[in-house]
Amino acid sequence: MAANGQRRSRQDDESPSNPNKKRKANKNPEKNLLFNLNSCSKSKDLSAALALYDAAVASNEVRLNQQHFQTLLYLCSASISDPCLQTLAVERGYQIFDRMVTSGLTFNEATVTSVARLASAKGDGDYAFEIVKDFASVGGTSIPRLRTYAPALLCFCERLEAEKGYEVEEHMEAAGIALEEAEISALLKASAATSRENKVYRYLHKLRESVGCVCEETSKVIEDWFCGEKAGEVSSDGIGSDVEMLREAVLRNGGGWHGRGWVGEGKWIVKKDNVSSTGRCLSCNEQLACVDTNEVETQKFVDSLVALAMERKAKMISSETKVDFSEFQDWLEKHGDYEAIVDGANIGLYQQNFADGGFSLSQLEGVVNELYHKSGDKKWPLILLHKKRVRTLLENPTHRNLVDEWINNGVLYATPPGFNDDWYWLYAAAKLKCLLVTNDEMRDHIFELLSNSFFQKWKERHQVRYTFTKGNLKLEMPPPFSVVIQVHHLIPIPIHVFFFFLSGFKKWSFLNKS
């Protein structure tokens, strides 16, 4: 009986009224093929996938679509890292792509990326770049990404075709795509190997702006350059004696780097050493700088915040929202002598998610008083808090006097309805180039107005985090130095250039002497 029952159960499952997924797929050869190709892709079984493809083509019963070709091309491109499969993957990948083209099918960014990787593995950077340019020129919803351009750029750099690599970079910049460490390192290596010293300096600067800490592979590229003869031959172009010009350039670039080119003459001495917890070099005793965002980046960010706030206001229809963000801008111009901005809501609501929890004014007062006492000139910080929250606090007799005092002394600004508090405290902190006290991780879309590298660098230098442990406040101030590439000049010489590894505070120190 049990056997008969099992038999009937399987027959019922496979009956037309209750078909299982396997029988459904078998009735549709296109879906069945895609299912099996995806299984091969997950298990990275290129041979099985190619066998399925060949069988489908030979049968002439399966209508191959974009998804079939895309899955096959992805698997081919993913197999090029295996020396045993690389030749097969490239040859068959090209054949599959040719058939896709002749079939008149459109291809998306993922398809172009796969083909570009195949071309790069074949050493054909020209084709890898050409297919990306053609794809970009067509436009559409699917657009090239960093991974789409990277195969051509890395191929050119590997073959030391530096000028072609620069051309890819220019195309990427025009498309608004930022380089990451692997691509910058490749361009740096190609520039150093072809003795393009100005390009070497440029990519060192890009590493500083975009990466900060570099990995071991990148540090080896940098070490090889400074140990080489060409690096010792590079000398000042005339600005090395203009100390004031260099100092002004350092300030404009946020500290730690002037960006004006090579300074000094002679060979470089390469040393490895560590830095102390306070940022003091244990080899040369040089103090590392706190590197901030440059003036151009910061102003662009400030302008973007204003534009966003104005755009938000234009969409409001409530009569209560007649106030303009420019009113806060004008107010800040008159009262803008602050060393710190305080995100009042973030602090007042910290750890208040318990029964009877609410807004803790005592926590906010503790932060404000601590910042006042830490200020060298005894300056009060600026608290930004929503008008509704301020109104509620004023209605409480226990809190009224303190809040009134803050308002009268310019310590508290009430942000209007319809506007996000975040816009105000972030604008104020960026505009005044001062500290911002908040535990907000700032992941909202408004914090993505500029590149992630900019905002991470800005937060590192300006954000102050806090904790309350059993009522005791602890402020976590920005670190005493920045872990990024830095140049330090002991005028006129030597010149110290620090390159940090990603693994910690170990650094390369390159000392140039005449």
Side-chain angles (χ1 to χ4, degrees), residues 82-96:
D82 186 339
C84 299
L85 295 175
Q86 186 180 81
T87 301
L88 174 66
V90 171
E91 289 180 356
R92 295 305 308 274
Y94 267 70
Q95 292 172 10
I96 291 167

Side-chain angles (χ1 to χ4, degrees), residues 361-387:
L361 188 66
S362 61
Q363 287 183 172
L364 182 56
E365 183 182 15
V367 170
V368 170
N369 290 339
E370 181 71 9
L371 290 169
Y372 174 78
H373 291 300
K374 280 183 175 291
S375 170
D377 298 327
K378 296 299 183 207
K379 291 182 180 179
W380 290 103
L382 172 63
I383 309 166
L384 288 166
L385 204 56
H386 198 276
K387 182 175 286 186

Side-chain angles (χ1 to χ4, degrees), residues 24 39 47-48 112 135 229 299 366 383 401 404 424 435 508:
K24 267 190 174 181
S39 297
S47 299
V112 174
F135 178 67
E229 293 184 7
Q299 188 57 50
I383 309 166
N401 290 339
D404 272 332
Y424 284 79
L435 297 174
W508 293 103

Side-chain angles (χ1 to χ4, degrees), residues 242-451:
D242 194 334
V243 178
E244 288 304 316
M245 181 183 291
L246 290 177
R247 285 176 178 164
E248 290 176 7
V250 167
L251 290 176
R252 282 197 304 273
N253 280 283
W257 190 279
H258 55 73
R260 298 302 301 269
W262 303 105
V263 178
E265 298 178 348
K267 292 184 177 181
W268 293 82
I269 301 173
V270 180
K271 292 183 179 181
K272 282 185 183 180
D273 213 324
N274 297 304
V275 296
S276 70
S277 59
T278 60
R280 182 74 61 179
C281 174
L282 301 181
S283 176
C284 62
N285 206 37
E286 185 77 13
Q287 176 63 45
L288 295 173
C290 293
V291 178
D292 208 338
T293 54
N294 65 48
E295 293 180 0
V296 175
E297 290 177 315
T298 304
Q299 188 57 50
K300 182 180 177 182
F301 187 58
V302 168
D303 293 342
S304 297
L305 283 168
V306 174
L308 183 68
M310 294 301 188
E311 179 184 345
R312 177 71 177 87
K313 175 187 173 294
K315 295 179 180 178
M316 296 177 184
I317 57 175
S318 171
S319 59
E320 192 180 12
T321 59
K322 293 181 179 179
V323 66
D324 200 306
F325 189 78
S326 60
E327 291 185 20
F328 177 62
Q329 293 177 267
D330 294 339
W331 185 91
L332 199 63
E333 287 290 336
K334 297 176 183 177
H335 304 84
D337 189 23
Y338 298 101
E339 294 179 354
I341 307 299
V342 175
D343 179 2
N346 185 268
I347 296 168
L349 296 173
Y350 178 75
Q351 292 184 336
Q352 298 301 303
N353 57 343
F354 52 85
D356 301 325
F359 186 91
S360 174
L361 188 66
S362 61
Q363 287 183 172
L364 182 56
E365 183 182 15
V367 170
V368 170
N369 290 339
E370 181 71 9
L371 290 169
Y372 174 78
H373 291 300
K374 280 183 175 291
S375 170
D377 298 327
K378 296 299 183 207
K379 291 182 180 179
W380 290 103
L382 172 63
I383 309 166
L384 288 166
L385 204 56
H386 198 276
K387 182 175 286 186
K388 289 183 180 179
R389 180 74 65 183
V390 173
R391 188 183 301 134
T392 301
L393 292 172
L394 288 172
E395 291 171 354
N396 187 326
T398 307
H399 300 151
R400 185 182 303 132
N401 290 339
L402 176 60
V403 176
D404 272 332
E405 181 182 343
W406 281 348
I407 294 173
N408 295 333
N409 293 332
V411 179
L412 172 64
Y413 185 92
T415 62
F419 283 95
N420 193 329
D421 290 359
D422 300 355
W423 303 345
Y424 284 79
W425 49 253
L426 183 57
Y427 171 83
K431 180 68 176 178
L432 302 181
K433 301 179 178 64
C434 64
L435 297 174
L436 170 63
V437 186
T438 182
N439 283 349
D440 194 315
E441 290 300 325
M442 295 181 258
R443 294 194 181 103
D444 196 280
H445 68 280
I446 69 167
F447 306 120
E448 298 174 1
L449 294 169
L450 290 183
S451 67

